[in-house]
Amino acid sequence: VALYKSVPTRLLSRAWGRLNQVELPTWLRKPVYSLYIWTFGVNMKEAAVEDLHHYRNLSEFFRRKLKPQARPVCCVHSVISPSDGKILNFGQIKNCEVEQVKGVTYSLESFLGPRICTEELHFSQAPPENSFQQQLVTKEGNELYHCVIYLAPGDYHCFHSPTDWRVSHRRHFPGSLMSVNPGVARWIKELFCHNERVVLTGGWEHGFFSLTAVGATNVGSIRIYFDQDLHTNSPCYSKGSYNDFSFISNNNKEGISMRKGEHLGEFNLGSTIVLIFEAPKDFKFHLKAGQKIRFGEALGSL
């Protein structure tokens, strides 16, 4: 593990990002993309543009859009999958620990960072001596839940809003860019806390809601469409540092309003989405660990 952590994954990811931007000759595009499609099982019939010659470089191919009806959004359930991927873990959060994969946990506070100003996110006025988990819960009788979705290189790389909610705050953690492949996640404790990530926090009808986009090797680029000030995988950063940005202002007291299924952001290759949210005790997930899921399908409901 120590040897793997010493690998300059940030530098490699920036180099890979530059390579992805290189325009390929038209004659080379089809063989290069066809190899990628064959290797990772990409379904190009869902792509808005199926012609491989259309994509000038690997980056454009990775970020390809889908046909409008390729991912119908479930209207029945309150929380949908924000992306294509594989369900690594889900359930109720207990003892301020979140499961990365089965049997491997990480600290809720290390992952989200220190509690943000109560006036900004309308958190509960819980006493400071309460646990970090208890401080996030705004309504008596509610619980905190989590869901982890791993995006493989062959998956659709955009992610969307999982429910109707308001984004009040963004916290960017520069960090490592180790692989988040489930095999690696099993043997590096707190992997998600080491890696670069963008935490969006706010609220939905039942209280606290957050979506975190976790970077990985060759995925230094995390883009949030409404956040033009976000710049990920910069060459220099201080270990353990983070920077905050508020979407609450005098002119916009509610933050950024997102509708279920609305475009939210994109990865450059594939990575992980972590949802952490508050809901009543009768919230039920409609999932199985390890199952494949597609954007728009149900995660759970009341």
Side-chain angles (χ1 to χ4, degrees):
V1 171
L3 181 64
Y4 178 58
K5 286 182 177 180
S6 70
V7 175
T9 50
R10 291 179 65 83
L11 178 62
L12 292 172
S13 297
R14 281 196 298 276
W16 177 254
R18 289 195 178 96
L19 179 63
N20 285 351
Q21 298 292 335
V22 174
E23 185 167 341
L24 297 176
T26 306
W27 62 268
L28 191 57
R29 293 174 189 177
K30 188 169 183 178
V32 169
Y33 301 146
S34 295
L35 177 62
Y36 187 91
I37 290 167
W38 177 80
T39 303
F40 296 109
V42 177
N43 183 2
M44 284 303 292
K45 290 183 179 179
E46 296 178 330
V49 180
E50 295 184 44
D51 181 9
L52 298 180
H53 296 102
H54 168 81
Y55 302 100
R56 294 173 297 175
N57 52 47
L58 282 165
S59 183
E60 284 190 1
F61 179 71
F62 294 147
R63 295 180 287 107
R64 64 194 176 276
K65 298 296 187 284
L66 299 181
K67 291 173 181 172
Q69 301 305 317
R71 297 288 186 277
V73 174
C74 176
C75 299
V76 177
H77 299 281
S78 52
V79 184
I80 62 167
S81 177
S83 66
D84 288 8
K86 179 181 180 181
I87 301 294
L88 293 190
N89 221 300
F90 64 92
Q92 189 175 319
I93 296 174
K94 298 179 180 178
N95 303 319
C96 296
E97 292 283 317
V98 188
E99 277 201 306
Q100 189 166 277
V101 291
K102 190 170 178 61
V104 181
T105 63
Y106 56 93
S107 160
L108 180 63
E109 186 168 7
S110 296
F111 182 68
L112 295 178
R115 187 179 175 207
I116 302 162
C117 173
T118 54
E119 291 78 14
E120 202 168 275
L121 288 186
H122 313 294
F123 284 169
S124 64
Q125 300 299 317
E129 63 270 14
N130 281 16
S131 71
F132 184 79
Q133 179 177 336
Q134 290 170 324
Q135 291 176 29
L136 293 183
V137 177
T138 65
K139 299 178 182 178
E140 189 174 349
N142 280 4
E143 300 288 350
L144 274 186
Y145 298 87
H146 80 287
C147 183
V148 183
I149 304 168
Y150 167 69
L151 289 76
D155 287 326
Y156 167 56
H157 296 105
C158 296
F159 50 94
H160 300 245
S161 177
T163 192
D164 295 335
W165 65 306
R166 296 178 314 280
V167 184
S168 303
H169 189 272
R170 178 258 291 159
R171 176 168 282 166
H172 172 217
F173 291 85
S176 301
L177 287 171
M178 293 180 281
S179 171
V180 290
N181 182 283
V184 176
R186 288 188 184 93
W187 51 268
I188 298 184
K189 183 176 172 61
E190 298 208 327
L191 171 63
F192 294 164
C193 298
H194 292 304
N195 270 18
E196 180 144 2
R197 60 197 181 279
V198 176
V199 183
L200 300 178
T201 48
W204 70 319
E205 61 176 324
H206 302 295
F208 174 79
F209 199 97
S210 73
L211 180 149
T212 302
V214 183
T217 307
N218 297 336
V219 197
S221 174
I222 301 170
R223 183 182 172 198
I224 304 297
Y225 294 138
F226 57 73
D227 189 353
Q228 302 304 313
D229 296 317
L230 175 65
H231 301 287
T232 56
N233 197 15
S234 56
C236 299
Y237 76 100
S238 300
K239 189 174 182 180
S241 66
Y242 59 86
N243 57 75
D244 289 338
F245 184 85
S246 174
F247 298 110
I248 301 289
S249 66
N250 291 331
N251 297 326
N252 181 16
K253 297 185 182 300
E254 293 298 316
I256 306 295
S257 180
M258 298 297 300
R259 304 294 296 174
K260 184 167 66 173
E262 188 177 348
H263 277 84
L264 183 52
E266 63 187 35
F267 291 112
N268 199 37
L269 184 55
S271 194
T272 298
I273 296 283
V274 179
L275 301 180
I276 296 174
F277 58 92
E278 173 186 358
K281 290 182 178 179
D282 56 353
F283 182 87
K284 294 287 186 296
F285 284 102
H286 304 288
L287 302 171
K288 293 180 181 178
Q291 79 172 69
K292 290 287 290 181
I293 197 163
R294 306 205 304 176
F295 154 61
E297 294 179 346
L299 286 185
S301 62
L302 297 166

